[in-house]
Short mmCIF file of all heavy atoms in Angstrom, two decimals:
data_model
loop_
_atom_site.label_atom_id
_atom_site.label_comp_id
_atom_site.label_asym_id
_atom_site.label_seq_id
_atom_site.Cartn_x
_atom_site.Cartn_y
_atom_site.Cartn_z
N MET J 30 -30.37 20.10 2.96
CA MET J 30 -30.62 19.47 1.73
C MET J 30 -30.29 17.95 1.85
O MET J 30 -31.05 17.09 1.41
CB MET J 30 -29.94 20.12 0.60
CG MET J 30 -30.34 19.32 -0.70
SD MET J 30 -29.66 19.82 -2.25
CE MET J 30 -28.76 21.34 -2.10
N TRP J 31 -29.18 17.63 2.47
CA TRP J 31 -28.87 16.28 2.60
C TRP J 31 -29.82 15.41 3.40
O TRP J 31 -30.06 14.26 3.19
CB TRP J 31 -27.41 15.99 3.23
CG TRP J 31 -27.27 16.45 4.57
CD1 TRP J 31 -26.93 17.93 4.86
CD2 TRP J 31 -27.53 15.88 5.73
NE1 TRP J 31 -26.99 17.95 6.26
CE2 TRP J 31 -27.40 16.77 6.83
CE3 TRP J 31 -27.96 14.50 6.05
CZ2 TRP J 31 -27.49 16.46 8.22
CZ3 TRP J 31 -28.17 14.22 7.41
CH2 TRP J 31 -27.94 15.05 8.50
N ARG J 32 -30.39 16.00 4.41
CA ARG J 32 -31.42 15.45 5.27
C ARG J 32 -32.64 15.00 4.49
O ARG J 32 -33.22 13.97 4.68
CB ARG J 32 -31.66 16.23 6.47
CG ARG J 32 -32.63 15.65 7.53
CD ARG J 32 -32.92 16.47 8.61
NE ARG J 32 -33.71 17.75 8.32
CZ ARG J 32 -34.99 17.87 8.37
NH1 ARG J 32 -35.76 16.84 8.68
NH2 ARG J 32 -35.55 18.95 8.06
N ASN J 33 -33.11 15.95 3.71
CA ASN J 33 -34.34 15.61 2.90
C ASN J 33 -34.11 14.56 1.78
O ASN J 33 -34.99 13.86 1.60
CB ASN J 33 -34.64 17.08 2.13
CG ASN J 33 -35.20 18.09 3.08
OD1 ASN J 33 -35.57 17.75 4.30
ND2 ASN J 33 -35.12 19.36 2.66
N ARG J 34 -32.92 14.53 1.25
CA ARG J 34 -32.61 13.50 0.37
C ARG J 34 -32.51 12.04 1.03
O ARG J 34 -33.00 11.12 0.51
CB ARG J 34 -31.20 13.81 -0.39
CG ARG J 34 -31.44 14.93 -1.25
CD ARG J 34 -30.12 15.26 -2.00
NE ARG J 34 -30.28 16.30 -3.04
CZ ARG J 34 -29.39 16.84 -3.73
NH1 ARG J 34 -28.11 16.40 -3.65
NH2 ARG J 34 -29.55 17.85 -4.50
N PHE J 35 -31.96 12.15 2.20
CA PHE J 35 -31.86 10.83 3.03
C PHE J 35 -33.27 10.36 3.37
O PHE J 35 -33.63 9.24 3.25
CB PHE J 35 -31.02 11.11 4.36
CG PHE J 35 -30.98 9.94 5.28
CD1 PHE J 35 -30.13 8.87 4.81
CD2 PHE J 35 -31.73 9.81 6.41
CE1 PHE J 35 -30.03 7.79 5.71
CE2 PHE J 35 -31.58 8.80 7.14
CZ PHE J 35 -30.74 7.79 6.86
N ILE J 36 -34.15 11.31 3.79
CA ILE J 36 -35.52 10.98 4.03
C ILE J 36 -36.26 10.44 2.83
O ILE J 36 -36.96 9.50 2.95
CB ILE J 36 -36.23 12.22 4.72
CG1 ILE J 36 -35.68 12.44 6.01
CG2 ILE J 36 -37.76 11.94 4.79
CD1 ILE J 36 -36.23 13.73 6.65
N LEU J 37 -36.12 11.07 1.68
CA LEU J 37 -36.65 10.57 0.43
C LEU J 37 -36.16 9.24 0.01
O LEU J 37 -36.93 8.44 -0.33
CB LEU J 37 -36.48 11.60 -0.69
CG LEU J 37 -37.06 11.15 -1.97
CD1 LEU J 37 -38.58 11.32 -1.90
CD2 LEU J 37 -36.61 12.24 -3.03
N MET J 38 -34.95 9.00 0.22
CA MET J 38 -34.36 7.69 -0.17
C MET J 38 -35.07 6.47 0.68
O MET J 38 -35.43 5.52 0.15
CB MET J 38 -32.94 7.60 -0.04
CG MET J 38 -32.23 8.45 -1.07
SD MET J 38 -30.44 8.51 -1.03
CE MET J 38 -30.02 6.83 -1.36
N ASN J 39 -35.21 6.81 2.04
CA ASN J 39 -35.81 5.88 2.93
C ASN J 39 -37.29 5.73 2.55
O ASN J 39 -37.74 4.65 2.91
CB ASN J 39 -35.53 6.27 4.35
CG ASN J 39 -34.12 5.98 4.81
OD1 ASN J 39 -33.68 4.92 4.43
ND2 ASN J 39 -33.42 6.79 5.40
N LEU J 40 -37.92 6.81 2.24
CA LEU J 40 -39.34 6.76 1.97
C LEU J 40 -39.60 5.93 0.68
O LEU J 40 -40.67 5.20 0.48
CB LEU J 40 -39.96 8.15 1.73
CG LEU J 40 -40.32 8.93 2.96
CD1 LEU J 40 -40.80 10.33 2.70
CD2 LEU J 40 -41.29 8.18 3.82
N ILE J 41 -38.65 6.03 -0.27
CA ILE J 41 -38.80 5.10 -1.53
C ILE J 41 -38.71 3.70 -1.09
O ILE J 41 -39.50 2.82 -1.52
CB ILE J 41 -37.69 5.54 -2.44
CG1 ILE J 41 -37.85 6.85 -3.14
CG2 ILE J 41 -37.58 4.45 -3.61
CD1 ILE J 41 -36.67 7.37 -3.89
N ARG J 42 -37.71 3.34 -0.23
CA ARG J 42 -37.59 1.93 0.23
C ARG J 42 -38.75 1.55 0.95
O ARG J 42 -39.33 0.35 0.82
CB ARG J 42 -36.37 1.81 1.13
CG ARG J 42 -35.10 1.83 0.37
CD ARG J 42 -33.94 1.38 1.30
NE ARG J 42 -32.70 1.38 0.47
CZ ARG J 42 -31.76 2.22 0.67
NH1 ARG J 42 -31.76 3.02 1.66
NH2 ARG J 42 -30.63 2.12 -0.10
N ILE J 43 -39.29 2.31 1.85
CA ILE J 43 -40.48 2.03 2.67
C ILE J 43 -41.68 1.67 1.83
O ILE J 43 -42.41 0.73 1.99
CB ILE J 43 -40.74 3.00 3.79
CG1 ILE J 43 -39.54 2.85 4.87
CG2 ILE J 43 -42.00 2.76 4.47
CD1 ILE J 43 -39.66 3.99 5.79
N ALA J 44 -41.91 2.76 0.95
CA ALA J 44 -43.08 2.61 0.01
C ALA J 44 -43.03 1.40 -0.91
O ALA J 44 -44.03 0.69 -1.13
CB ALA J 44 -43.24 3.88 -0.79
N ALA J 45 -41.92 1.08 -1.32
CA ALA J 45 -41.76 -0.13 -2.30
C ALA J 45 -41.91 -1.36 -1.42
O ALA J 45 -42.49 -2.44 -1.91
CB ALA J 45 -40.37 -0.12 -2.99
N SER J 46 -41.41 -1.42 -0.22
CA SER J 46 -41.72 -2.53 0.56
C SER J 46 -43.15 -2.81 0.98
O SER J 46 -43.61 -3.95 0.94
CB SER J 46 -40.79 -2.47 1.85
OG SER J 46 -39.52 -2.38 1.71
N LEU J 47 -43.80 -1.68 1.19
CA LEU J 47 -45.23 -1.82 1.49
C LEU J 47 -46.08 -2.27 0.22
O LEU J 47 -46.97 -3.07 0.26
CB LEU J 47 -45.79 -0.48 1.98
CG LEU J 47 -45.40 -0.11 3.43
CD1 LEU J 47 -45.99 1.30 3.63
CD2 LEU J 47 -45.92 -1.10 4.42
N GLY J 48 -45.50 -1.87 -0.97
CA GLY J 48 -46.11 -2.25 -2.23
C GLY J 48 -45.94 -3.88 -2.40
O GLY J 48 -46.74 -4.56 -2.89
N VAL J 49 -44.71 -4.24 -2.08
CA VAL J 49 -44.43 -5.73 -2.15
C VAL J 49 -45.41 -6.48 -1.26
O VAL J 49 -45.99 -7.50 -1.66
CB VAL J 49 -42.99 -5.99 -1.84
CG1 VAL J 49 -42.87 -7.48 -1.73
CG2 VAL J 49 -42.05 -5.50 -2.90
N LEU J 50 -45.55 -6.03 -0.01
CA LEU J 50 -46.41 -6.70 0.90
C LEU J 50 -47.91 -6.70 0.46
O LEU J 50 -48.73 -7.79 0.49
CB LEU J 50 -46.31 -6.15 2.31
CG LEU J 50 -44.97 -6.37 2.99
CD1 LEU J 50 -44.91 -5.59 4.30
CD2 LEU J 50 -44.76 -7.85 3.23
N ALA J 51 -48.30 -5.60 0.16
CA ALA J 51 -49.62 -5.43 -0.53
C ALA J 51 -50.01 -6.25 -1.68
O ALA J 51 -50.96 -6.87 -1.81
CB ALA J 51 -50.07 -3.99 -0.81
N SER J 52 -48.99 -6.35 -2.60
CA SER J 52 -49.11 -7.25 -3.78
C SER J 52 -49.11 -8.70 -3.49
O SER J 52 -49.72 -9.45 -4.14
CB SER J 52 -48.17 -6.85 -4.85
OG SER J 52 -46.86 -6.98 -4.43
N ILE J 53 -48.34 -9.08 -2.52
CA ILE J 53 -48.30 -10.49 -2.09
C ILE J 53 -49.75 -10.88 -1.48
O ILE J 53 -50.27 -11.89 -1.71
CB ILE J 53 -47.17 -10.72 -1.20
CG1 ILE J 53 -45.88 -10.77 -1.88
CG2 ILE J 53 -47.35 -12.11 -0.49
CD1 ILE J 53 -44.58 -10.89 -1.04
N VAL J 54 -50.31 -9.96 -0.69
CA VAL J 54 -51.62 -10.10 -0.17
C VAL J 54 -52.59 -10.17 -1.21
O VAL J 54 -53.54 -10.97 -1.20
CB VAL J 54 -51.99 -9.05 0.95
CG1 VAL J 54 -53.36 -9.07 1.28
CG2 VAL J 54 -51.06 -9.08 2.12
N LEU J 55 -52.58 -9.39 -2.19
CA LEU J 55 -53.43 -9.40 -3.38
C LEU J 55 -53.27 -10.77 -4.16
O LEU J 55 -54.29 -11.31 -4.50
CB LEU J 55 -53.04 -8.28 -4.30
CG LEU J 55 -53.76 -8.36 -5.73
CD1 LEU J 55 -55.24 -8.17 -5.57
CD2 LEU J 55 -53.13 -7.36 -6.65
N TRP J 56 -52.03 -11.27 -4.22
CA TRP J 56 -51.77 -12.44 -5.01
C TRP J 56 -52.26 -13.78 -4.24
O TRP J 56 -52.84 -14.61 -4.85
CB TRP J 56 -50.30 -12.55 -5.34
CG TRP J 56 -49.83 -13.78 -6.08
CD1 TRP J 56 -50.55 -14.40 -7.00
CD2 TRP J 56 -48.57 -14.31 -5.91
NE1 TRP J 56 -49.74 -15.55 -7.40
CE2 TRP J 56 -48.53 -15.48 -6.75
CE3 TRP J 56 -47.40 -14.11 -5.06
CZ2 TRP J 56 -47.50 -16.29 -6.89
CZ3 TRP J 56 -46.34 -14.96 -5.30
CH2 TRP J 56 -46.29 -15.94 -6.12
N GLN J 57 -52.04 -13.78 -2.82
CA GLN J 57 -52.23 -15.02 -2.15
C GLN J 57 -53.46 -15.06 -1.21
O GLN J 57 -53.84 -16.09 -0.70
CB GLN J 57 -50.94 -15.19 -1.21
CG GLN J 57 -49.79 -15.58 -2.02
CD GLN J 57 -49.83 -16.92 -2.70
OE1 GLN J 57 -50.26 -17.82 -2.23
NE2 GLN J 57 -49.32 -16.90 -3.97
N SER J 58 -54.17 -13.93 -1.18
CA SER J 58 -55.41 -13.97 -0.17
C SER J 58 -56.63 -13.52 -0.75
O SER J 58 -56.67 -13.02 -2.01
CB SER J 58 -55.10 -13.21 1.12
OG SER J 58 -55.01 -11.96 0.89
N ASP J 59 -57.67 -13.54 -0.09
CA ASP J 59 -59.05 -12.90 -0.42
C ASP J 59 -59.28 -11.56 -0.01
O ASP J 59 -60.35 -11.18 0.06
CB ASP J 59 -60.08 -13.93 0.17
CG ASP J 59 -60.02 -15.41 -0.45
OD1 ASP J 59 -59.53 -15.45 -1.56
OD2 ASP J 59 -60.47 -16.24 0.29
N VAL J 60 -58.26 -10.89 0.49
CA VAL J 60 -58.55 -9.54 1.13
C VAL J 60 -58.95 -8.51 -0.01
O VAL J 60 -60.06 -7.84 0.23
CB VAL J 60 -57.23 -8.96 1.77
CG1 VAL J 60 -57.38 -7.53 2.13
CG2 VAL J 60 -56.85 -9.88 2.86
N PHE J 61 -58.34 -8.46 -1.18
CA PHE J 61 -58.84 -7.58 -2.17
C PHE J 61 -59.62 -8.14 -3.26
O PHE J 61 -60.64 -7.66 -3.64
CB PHE J 61 -57.51 -7.07 -3.04
CG PHE J 61 -56.62 -6.30 -2.00
CD1 PHE J 61 -55.34 -6.55 -1.73
CD2 PHE J 61 -57.07 -5.15 -1.44
CE1 PHE J 61 -54.50 -6.00 -1.00
CE2 PHE J 61 -56.19 -4.34 -0.72
CZ PHE J 61 -54.85 -4.78 -0.40
N VAL J 62 -59.38 -9.38 -3.69
CA VAL J 62 -60.11 -10.09 -4.67
C VAL J 62 -60.34 -11.51 -4.14
O VAL J 62 -59.51 -12.23 -3.62
CB VAL J 62 -59.39 -10.20 -6.01
CG1 VAL J 62 -60.09 -10.87 -7.11
CG2 VAL J 62 -59.06 -8.82 -6.52
N ARG J 63 -61.55 -12.06 -4.32
CA ARG J 63 -61.90 -13.29 -3.94
C ARG J 63 -61.12 -14.41 -4.77
O ARG J 63 -61.13 -14.42 -5.98
CB ARG J 63 -63.32 -13.68 -4.05
CG ARG J 63 -63.78 -14.97 -3.47
CD ARG J 63 -65.26 -15.10 -3.50
NE ARG J 63 -65.58 -16.29 -2.75
CZ ARG J 63 -66.74 -16.70 -2.63
NH1 ARG J 63 -67.80 -16.11 -3.16
NH2 ARG J 63 -67.00 -17.89 -2.13
N GLY J 64 -60.28 -15.15 -3.96
CA GLY J 64 -59.58 -16.24 -4.66
C GLY J 64 -58.16 -15.75 -4.96
O GLY J 64 -57.31 -16.44 -5.51
N GLY J 65 -57.83 -14.52 -4.84
CA GLY J 65 -56.53 -13.94 -5.08
C GLY J 65 -56.47 -13.67 -6.52
O GLY J 65 -57.40 -14.01 -7.40
N SER J 66 -55.42 -12.94 -6.93
CA SER J 66 -55.23 -12.49 -8.38
C SER J 66 -53.81 -12.75 -8.69
O SER J 66 -52.98 -12.36 -7.99
CB SER J 66 -55.61 -11.02 -8.56
OG SER J 66 -55.38 -10.61 -9.88
N ILE J 67 -53.53 -13.20 -9.99
CA ILE J 67 -52.27 -13.52 -10.44
C ILE J 67 -51.56 -12.08 -10.74
O ILE J 67 -50.25 -12.11 -10.77
CB ILE J 67 -52.26 -14.33 -11.62
CG1 ILE J 67 -50.96 -14.83 -12.01
CG2 ILE J 67 -52.90 -13.61 -12.74
CD1 ILE J 67 -50.30 -15.69 -10.99
N ILE J 68 -52.21 -11.00 -10.92
CA ILE J 68 -51.66 -9.82 -11.13
C ILE J 68 -50.75 -9.20 -10.02
O ILE J 68 -49.78 -8.40 -10.15
CB ILE J 68 -52.57 -8.62 -11.49
CG1 ILE J 68 -52.08 -7.43 -12.20
CG2 ILE J 68 -53.54 -8.29 -10.31
CD1 ILE J 68 -51.46 -7.68 -13.60
N GLY J 69 -50.86 -9.79 -8.89
CA GLY J 69 -50.11 -9.43 -7.58
C GLY J 69 -48.60 -9.85 -7.79
O GLY J 69 -47.81 -9.15 -7.24
N PHE J 70 -48.49 -10.97 -8.50
CA PHE J 70 -46.95 -11.37 -8.58
C PHE J 70 -46.12 -10.42 -9.49
O PHE J 70 -45.03 -10.08 -8.93
CB PHE J 70 -46.97 -12.82 -9.25
CG PHE J 70 -45.57 -13.33 -9.48
CD1 PHE J 70 -44.93 -13.75 -8.35
CD2 PHE J 70 -45.05 -13.41 -10.75
CE1 PHE J 70 -43.59 -14.23 -8.51
CE2 PHE J 70 -43.77 -13.96 -10.80
CZ PHE J 70 -43.14 -14.35 -9.66
N PRO J 71 -46.54 -10.02 -10.56
CA PRO J 71 -45.67 -9.13 -11.25
C PRO J 71 -45.46 -7.65 -10.64
O PRO J 71 -44.50 -7.07 -10.63
CB PRO J 71 -46.39 -8.80 -12.65
CG PRO J 71 -47.54 -9.77 -12.82
CD PRO J 71 -47.71 -10.44 -11.44
N ILE J 72 -46.62 -7.30 -9.95
CA ILE J 72 -46.59 -6.13 -9.15
C ILE J 72 -45.58 -6.21 -8.00
O ILE J 72 -44.77 -5.26 -7.77
CB ILE J 72 -47.94 -5.71 -8.58
CG1 ILE J 72 -48.83 -5.36 -9.67
CG2 ILE J 72 -47.89 -4.53 -7.60
CD1 ILE J 72 -50.40 -5.06 -9.19
N ALA J 73 -45.48 -7.32 -7.36
CA ALA J 73 -44.59 -7.61 -6.30
C ALA J 73 -43.01 -7.60 -6.91
O ALA J 73 -42.23 -7.08 -6.26
CB ALA J 73 -44.78 -9.00 -5.69
N ILE J 74 -42.96 -8.12 -8.06
CA ILE J 74 -41.46 -8.06 -8.68
C ILE J 74 -41.17 -6.67 -9.02
O ILE J 74 -39.96 -6.29 -8.75
CB ILE J 74 -41.58 -9.03 -9.96
CG1 ILE J 74 -41.82 -10.43 -9.51
CG2 ILE J 74 -40.17 -8.83 -10.63
CD1 ILE J 74 -40.77 -11.06 -8.66
N VAL J 75 -42.03 -5.87 -9.50
CA VAL J 75 -41.70 -4.50 -9.83
C VAL J 75 -41.34 -3.65 -8.60
O VAL J 75 -40.44 -2.97 -8.57
CB VAL J 75 -42.83 -3.78 -10.72
CG1 VAL J 75 -42.78 -2.32 -10.84
CG2 VAL J 75 -42.95 -4.51 -12.04
N CYS J 76 -42.14 -3.88 -7.51
CA CYS J 76 -41.95 -3.12 -6.33
C CYS J 76 -40.63 -3.51 -5.68
O CYS J 76 -39.93 -2.72 -5.16
CB CYS J 76 -43.24 -3.34 -5.29
SG CYS J 76 -44.61 -2.52 -5.91
N LEU J 77 -40.26 -4.82 -5.88
CA LEU J 77 -39.00 -5.25 -5.29
C LEU J 77 -37.85 -4.68 -6.00
O LEU J 77 -36.83 -4.20 -5.36
CB LEU J 77 -38.99 -6.92 -5.29
CG LEU J 77 -37.86 -7.45 -4.61
CD1 LEU J 77 -37.94 -7.34 -3.28
CD2 LEU J 77 -37.92 -8.95 -4.87
N PHE J 78 -38.02 -4.59 -7.31
CA PHE J 78 -36.96 -3.83 -8.20
C PHE J 78 -36.85 -2.36 -7.71
O PHE J 78 -35.73 -1.97 -7.59
CB PHE J 78 -37.32 -4.03 -9.62
CG PHE J 78 -36.38 -3.49 -10.63
CD1 PHE J 78 -35.25 -4.17 -10.92
CD2 PHE J 78 -36.53 -2.19 -11.10
CE1 PHE J 78 -34.28 -3.67 -11.71
CE2 PHE J 78 -35.71 -1.71 -11.98
CZ PHE J 78 -34.46 -2.34 -12.36
N ILE J 79 -37.91 -1.79 -7.54
CA ILE J 79 -37.99 -0.43 -7.17
C ILE J 79 -37.30 -0.25 -5.81
O ILE J 79 -36.51 0.73 -5.53
CB ILE J 79 -39.33 0.22 -7.19
CG1 ILE J 79 -39.77 0.37 -8.63
CG2 ILE J 79 -39.31 1.56 -6.46
CD1 ILE J 79 -41.36 0.77 -8.73
N SER J 80 -37.58 -1.16 -4.89
CA SER J 80 -36.98 -1.17 -3.47
C SER J 80 -35.49 -1.24 -3.51
O SER J 80 -34.83 -0.54 -2.78
CB SER J 80 -37.55 -2.31 -2.61
OG SER J 80 -36.99 -2.36 -1.45
N PHE J 81 -34.95 -1.97 -4.37
CA PHE J 81 -33.48 -2.18 -4.56
C PHE J 81 -32.80 -1.06 -5.31
O PHE J 81 -31.84 -0.61 -4.95
CB PHE J 81 -33.13 -3.57 -5.30
CG PHE J 81 -33.47 -4.66 -4.32
CD1 PHE J 81 -33.83 -5.81 -4.92
CD2 PHE J 81 -33.17 -4.68 -2.98
CE1 PHE J 81 -34.23 -6.97 -4.12
CE2 PHE J 81 -33.39 -5.74 -2.15
CZ PHE J 81 -33.97 -6.96 -2.76
N PHE J 82 -33.40 -0.61 -6.52
CA PHE J 82 -32.67 0.29 -7.28
C PHE J 82 -33.23 1.61 -7.32
O PHE J 82 -32.63 2.65 -7.83
CB PHE J 82 -32.62 -0.29 -8.73
CG PHE J 82 -32.06 -1.61 -8.85
CD1 PHE J 82 -32.61 -2.79 -9.09
CD2 PHE J 82 -30.58 -1.65 -8.64
CE1 PHE J 82 -32.00 -3.91 -9.07
CE2 PHE J 82 -29.95 -2.90 -8.63
CZ PHE J 82 -30.61 -4.03 -8.93
N GLY J 83 -34.40 1.90 -6.74
CA GLY J 83 -34.97 3.33 -6.67
C GLY J 83 -34.07 4.39 -5.98
O GLY J 83 -33.81 5.43 -6.51
N PRO J 84 -33.57 4.01 -4.71
CA PRO J 84 -32.78 4.90 -4.08
C PRO J 84 -31.43 5.29 -4.86
O PRO J 84 -30.97 6.46 -4.90
CB PRO J 84 -32.49 4.42 -2.72
CG PRO J 84 -33.59 3.55 -2.54
CD PRO J 84 -33.98 2.93 -3.87
N LYS J 85 -30.95 4.25 -5.49
CA LYS J 85 -29.58 4.48 -6.30
C LYS J 85 -29.88 5.38 -7.50
O LYS J 85 -29.08 6.14 -7.82
CB LYS J 85 -29.13 3.06 -6.82
CG LYS J 85 -27.77 3.12 -7.45
CD LYS J 85 -27.34 1.79 -7.83
CE LYS J 85 -25.95 1.88 -8.41
NZ LYS J 85 -25.37 0.56 -8.76
N TYR J 86 -31.01 5.16 -8.07
CA TYR J 86 -31.43 5.92 -9.30
C TYR J 86 -31.67 7.41 -8.72
O TYR J 86 -31.19 8.40 -9.46
CB TYR J 86 -32.74 5.57 -9.87
CG TYR J 86 -33.21 6.31 -11.08
CD1 TYR J 86 -32.47 6.36 -12.22
CD2 TYR J 86 -34.29 7.18 -10.82
CE1 TYR J 86 -32.89 7.17 -13.28
CE2 TYR J 86 -34.65 8.01 -11.97
CZ TYR J 86 -34.00 7.95 -13.10
OH TYR J 86 -34.37 8.76 -14.26
N ALA J 87 -32.27 7.61 -7.51
CA ALA J 87 -32.45 9.04 -7.10
C ALA J 87 -31.23 9.64 -6.74
O ALA J 87 -30.82 10.84 -7.06
CB ALA J 87 -33.37 8.96 -5.88
N ALA J 88 -30.17 8.87 -6.15
CA ALA J 88 -28.94 9.49 -5.74
C ALA J 88 -28.10 9.88 -7.11
O ALA J 88 -27.37 10.84 -7.09
CB ALA J 88 -28.15 8.51 -4.97
N HIS J 89 -28.34 9.02 -8.06
CA HIS J 89 -27.59 9.36 -9.43
C HIS J 89 -28.12 10.63 -10.01
O HIS J 89 -27.42 11.45 -10.58
CB HIS J 89 -27.91 8.19 -10.41
CG HIS J 89 -27.28 8.40 -11.72
ND1 HIS J 89 -25.83 8.39 -11.91
CD2 HIS J 89 -27.81 8.60 -12.96
CE1 HIS J 89 -25.65 8.69 -13.18
NE2 HIS J 89 -26.82 8.85 -13.82
N GLN J 90 -29.48 10.86 -9.89
CA GLN J 90 -30.05 12.18 -10.37
C GLN J 90 -29.61 13.35 -9.61
O GLN J 90 -29.49 14.41 -10.19
CB GLN J 90 -31.61 12.04 -10.35
CG GLN J 90 -32.22 10.97 -11.26
CD GLN J 90 -31.89 11.17 -12.61
OE1 GLN J 90 -32.06 12.29 -13.08
NE2 GLN J 90 -31.50 10.20 -13.35
N TRP J 91 -29.14 13.21 -8.33
CA TRP J 91 -28.72 14.38 -7.62
C TRP J 91 -27.37 14.61 -7.82
O TRP J 91 -26.90 15.77 -7.42
CB TRP J 91 -29.06 14.00 -6.13
CG TRP J 91 -30.42 13.98 -5.77
CD1 TRP J 91 -31.52 14.72 -6.31
CD2 TRP J 91 -31.11 13.16 -4.82
NE1 TRP J 91 -32.68 14.56 -5.77
CE2 TRP J 91 -32.43 13.50 -4.77
CE3 TRP J 91 -30.56 12.19 -3.90
CZ2 TRP J 91 -33.30 12.74 -4.07
CZ3 TRP J 91 -31.54 11.50 -3.11
CH2 TRP J 91 -32.90 11.80 -3.16
N ARG J 92 -26.59 13.67 -8.29
CA ARG J 92 -25.09 13.88 -8.46
C ARG J 92 -24.86 15.09 -9.37
O ARG J 92 -25.45 15.32 -10.45
CB ARG J 92 -24.48 12.64 -9.03
CG ARG J 92 -23.02 12.58 -8.94
CD ARG J 92 -22.50 11.14 -9.27
NE ARG J 92 -23.15 10.12 -8.45
CZ ARG J 92 -23.38 8.94 -8.89
NH1 ARG J 92 -23.10 8.61 -10.14
NH2 ARG J 92 -23.98 8.06 -8.13
N THR J 93 -23.86 15.81 -9.09
CA THR J 93 -23.52 17.03 -9.94
C THR J 93 -22.76 16.41 -11.13
O THR J 93 -22.04 15.50 -11.07
CB THR J 93 -22.64 18.07 -9.13
OG1 THR J 93 -21.45 17.38 -8.69
CG2 THR J 93 -23.33 18.65 -8.12
N PRO J 94 -22.96 17.18 -12.28
CA PRO J 94 -22.23 16.75 -13.47
C PRO J 94 -20.70 16.96 -13.37
O PRO J 94 -20.32 17.96 -12.59
CB PRO J 94 -22.75 17.67 -14.63
CG PRO J 94 -23.44 18.74 -13.94
CD PRO J 94 -23.77 18.35 -12.56
N PRO J 95 -19.84 16.14 -13.97
CA PRO J 95 -18.50 16.34 -13.78
C PRO J 95 -18.02 17.56 -14.58
O PRO J 95 -18.60 17.95 -15.60
CB PRO J 95 -17.89 15.08 -14.55
CG PRO J 95 -19.02 14.48 -15.48
CD PRO J 95 -20.24 14.99 -14.77
N GLU J 96 -17.05 18.20 -14.05
CA GLU J 96 -16.49 19.50 -14.65
C GLU J 96 -15.58 19.09 -15.73
O GLU J 96 -14.72 18.10 -15.67
CB GLU J 96 -15.78 20.31 -13.50
CG GLU J 96 -16.91 20.55 -12.38
CD GLU J 96 -16.44 21.83 -11.68
OE1 GLU J 96 -15.64 22.55 -12.18
OE2 GLU J 96 -17.02 22.07 -10.65
N PRO J 97 -15.59 19.91 -16.89
CA PRO J 97 -14.68 19.67 -17.93
C PRO J 97 -13.14 19.87 -17.64
O PRO J 97 -12.67 20.49 -16.82
CB PRO J 97 -15.06 20.54 -19.01
CG PRO J 97 -15.97 21.52 -18.38
CD PRO J 97 -16.35 21.00 -17.06
#
């Protein structure tokens, strides 16, 4: 079980990092939209936030509740 959780935490980081890169490409280049699109900037910020805090949130969800 610990191995699967470790893999999932790393997949969250990798996917969010790819999201940041794709949104920067959307924002600054003509690959997706001609002239770029401003919507790429907020998407990059959200993906960056997920990259930093997503694994921590997942680990918090897996923690067992404290015993009384």
Side-chain angles (χ1 to χ4, degrees):
M30 182 182 345
W31 63 269
R32 184 178 64 92
N33 293 338
R34 290 179 177 178
F35 179 75
I36 290 171
L37 182 63
M38 289 176 71
N39 284 310
L40 285 176
I41 291 170
R42 283 191 181 115
I43 291 169
S46 298
L47 290 175
V49 169
L50 292 174
S52 60
I53 289 174
V54 168
L55 170 66
W56 180 33
Q57 294 293 321
S58 71
D59 295 333
V60 173
F61 297 117
V62 179
R63 187 171 185 187
S66 176
I67 191 66
I68 195 70
F70 180 71
I72 294 172
I74 297 298
V75 169
C76 288
L77 191 63
F78 183 80
I79 292 170
S80 172
F81 289 140
F82 298 109
K85 185 175 181 177
Y86 178 75
H89 179 72
Q90 294 298 316
W91 294 322
R92 199 171 301 146
T93 57
E96 302 203 15

